[in-house]
Amino acid sequence: MIGTTTALKDDPALTNRLWQGAQPVRIAIDTELRVPLSYKLYDRSVRTIIFNTHKQQEEDNLLFYKLERDHSFVPQMLQALYQLNIQSVLVEGGTKLLQSFIDGGVWDETRIITNTDMLIQEGLNAPALSNASLIKKETYLNDSIHYYLNLSLTINSLLPAE
Ligand SMILES: NC(=O)c1ccc[n+]([C@@H]2O[C@H](COP(=O)([O-])OP(=O)(O)OC[C@H]3O[C@@H](n4cnc5c(N)ncnc54)[C@H](OP(=O)(O)O)[C@@H]3O)[C@@H](O)[C@H]2O)c1
């Protein structure tokens, strides 16, 4: 899943191209439908869901899912994905979209990849992670991957059910 600005700036394909396995469902939030239909998200190559506030419409493997403006978008999107039987979502960015999931406490695992050689002069700040517990660190060449779990979910899962 990606935010509108990432869709507009990067025009990502969001397909599985360099590894075996199934194609993920592509998901974007584009409340005002600003992403041009000529962009890769709309190439119809894999199932794609566009959360927006204008229309509910399904054609082939492209679903426009209408959100209500007077309610928070993240809970609406999660409810919709649950109803569509999508129970695992990789939120790929950018910062605003990631921050809204972090602030809403609706995440299980975060992976932060840092690179010791790459320096981005005028990049965006990464989102601010909170309530996170580092569980693992791996290094591949110049990349370090830190794995975090959501501390509140971890604690809650240890408590006896009421
Ligand atoms: N380093 C990485 O791993 C990585 C990964 C992905 C992207 N990026 C970079 O991140 C940059 C974009 O990040 P960004 O933070 O500016 O933008 P973004 O998160 O991609 O998109 C932000 C826009 O998406 C919509 N949106 C996001 N979350 C929403 C929410 N919870 N509710 C309603 N609308 C929501 C809003 O659109 P409206 O303004 O239309 O309401 C918002 O302005 C790009 O330059 C991209 O290249 C980096």
Side-chain angles (χ1 to χ4, degrees), residues 120-126:
I120 299 175
Q121 297 291 355
E122 295 188 10
L124 279 182
N125 285 337

Side-chain angles (χ1 to χ4, degrees), residues 3-6 10 29 34 73-74 92 94-97 100 124:
T4 314
T5 309
T6 298
D10 297 354
I29 180 166
R34 292 191 285 132
F73 290 131
V74 171
E92 162 62 25
T95 296
K96 279 188 190 161
L97 184 67
S100 61
L124 279 182

